[in-house]
Amino acid sequence: MAAEEHAAELALTPGEYIVHHLTHLNNKPFTGTFDLSVVSWDSVFFAILLGVTGCWLLWLGARKATSGVPGRFQAAIEIMFEMVENEAKGIVHNATSRKLVAPLALTVFIWVVLLNAMDLLPVDLLPYIWQHLYAALGGDPHHAYLRVVPTADLSVTMGLSISVLLICLAYNIKIKGLGGWGHELITAPFGDHWLLYPVNLAMQIIEFIAKTVSHGMRLFGNMYAGELIFLLIALLGGAFTFTLGGFGLAALQIFAGFCWAVFHILIIILQAFVFMMLTLVYIGQAHDAH
């Protein structure tokens, strides 16, 4: 029943409540125009916090690793590592590259799982705490914006996909050489003829852009939709009264929230796995010659 209490404290309508929850804590007011200088501090904070947490968990697993019977935590880390290692072997055939690519893929998988898992927190828990902290610091609680799911922020997912693009470009140059890759850019996919050079180059650029955009948009779209559904479920109890119908709405809110959370666990892991696999595929393609 936190949604209606939070909305009542801010005197928000259901629509305003959703808009409030979907507004980032930015360094400047959003004007509706494209502005690269706008920074979503909430996404930056939670992304860094969860990235450090993921690295700490991997370090903890490595530090406590034993050659004997592994504990449950070590066994979980080993299962994830073997899964990623096997996938990397099937996609990236360069053993030297896999020494970096496989740990990178494992880090990406765990990081994205943690980022996605923030969606499982009650939608008003951290915003409620931030609202009161912001008010205690002298701010207007109506402007105490906070979004806690970094992967529901397009700038975060596109930042991740652009990072993968830069890694792919680096491996293209490392494996094929600057001249070899440059020759490939103008000769693939239609052949080595000077009339086809502009067309080939345009197709290569479109391919890089399409892969990068789809890589980031896929993760963003799924997590944004999941976050929005949680908000809509939270509003089911907005008409709660001490009547049979009111208690029915409260029960429906709890039941729907539980069912969606259970199903969403699959989405959280699946989207992280897909993002990791596409990362491996794109890096593997950088090793292949046309």
Side-chain angles (χ1 to χ4, degrees):
M1 303 306 295
E4 60 272 17
E5 294 173 2
H6 190 197
E9 286 189 10
L10 297 177
L12 301 176
T13 65
E16 291 170 339
Y17 167 80
I18 292 177
V19 170
H20 188 275
H21 270 275
L22 295 180
T23 303
H24 286 282
L25 176 64
N26 293 325
N27 62 323
K28 60 175 65 176
F30 179 66
T31 61
T33 59
F34 183 71
D35 187 353
L36 289 175
S37 65
V38 175
V39 178
S40 298
W41 291 118
D42 43 11
S43 295
V44 172
F45 172 78
F46 287 113
I48 294 175
L49 175 64
L50 294 172
V52 172
T53 300
C55 291
W56 176 75
L57 289 174
L58 290 174
W59 172 82
L60 191 64
R63 188 174 70 88
K64 292 188 175 182
T66 63
S67 57
V69 178
R72 285 177 292 182
F73 180 68
Q74 180 182 338
I77 296 294
E78 289 179 354
I79 290 172
M80 285 191 294
F81 181 82
E82 291 176 3
M83 179 267 293
V84 174
E85 180 71 18
N86 291 333
E87 296 294 343
K89 286 180 180 179
I91 297 172
V92 181
H93 304 297
N94 188 308
T96 302
S97 296
R98 283 202 305 272
K99 293 179 181 179
L100 174 63
V101 173
L104 172 66
L106 178 62
T107 303
V108 167
F109 176 72
I110 293 178
W111 193 17
V112 175
V113 166
L114 293 175
L115 296 177
N116 293 349
M118 293 295 287
D119 226 355
L120 296 178
L121 292 175
V123 294
D124 284 312
L125 177 61
L126 295 183
Y128 180 83
I129 295 173
W130 172 240
Q131 172 199 336
H132 286 273
L133 178 61
Y134 194 79
L137 294 174
D140 183 356
H142 288 82
H143 297 139
Y145 302 116
L146 186 71
R147 291 185 66 180
V148 302
V149 187
T151 44
D153 181 358
L154 184 58
S155 63
V156 171
T157 59
M158 288 305 300
L160 291 172
S161 64
I162 290 173
S163 299
V164 173
L165 171 64
L166 295 177
I167 293 172
C168 292
L169 297 181
Y171 269 110
N172 268 298
I173 297 173
K174 178 181 178 181
I175 299 299
K176 304 166 187 175
L178 184 58
W181 182 51
H183 183 262
E184 180 182 281
L185 286 176
I186 61 175
T187 59
F190 297 122
D192 189 359
H193 191 286
W194 66 271
L195 286 175
L196 297 175
Y197 289 170
V199 179
N200 288 328
L201 180 60
M203 291 298 295
Q204 290 276 2
I205 293 174
I206 291 173
E207 179 183 353
F208 280 117
I209 294 175
K211 289 192 299 187
T212 302
V213 172
S214 64
H215 198 193
M217 287 291 292
R218 179 183 290 105
L219 178 60
F220 161 74
N222 282 278
M223 299 313 301
Y224 184 88
E227 183 183 29
L228 185 58
I229 291 175
F230 273 121
L231 291 174
L232 293 174
I233 291 174
L235 285 172
L236 280 174
F240 174 76
T241 57
F242 288 96
T243 62
L244 183 61
F247 283 106
L249 282 175
L252 179 61
Q253 176 187 3
I254 296 172
F255 177 74
F258 173 78
C259 291
W260 179 244
V262 172
F263 176 72
H264 202 60
I265 293 174
L266 174 63
I267 297 176
I268 287 170
I269 298 174
L270 179 62
Q271 289 304 314
F273 180 77
V274 169
F275 194 90
M276 179 204 72
M277 286 298 297
L278 288 175
T279 299
L280 287 174
V281 168
Y282 295 157
I283 294 176
Q285 289 176 345
H287 288 71
D288 299 332
H290 291 280

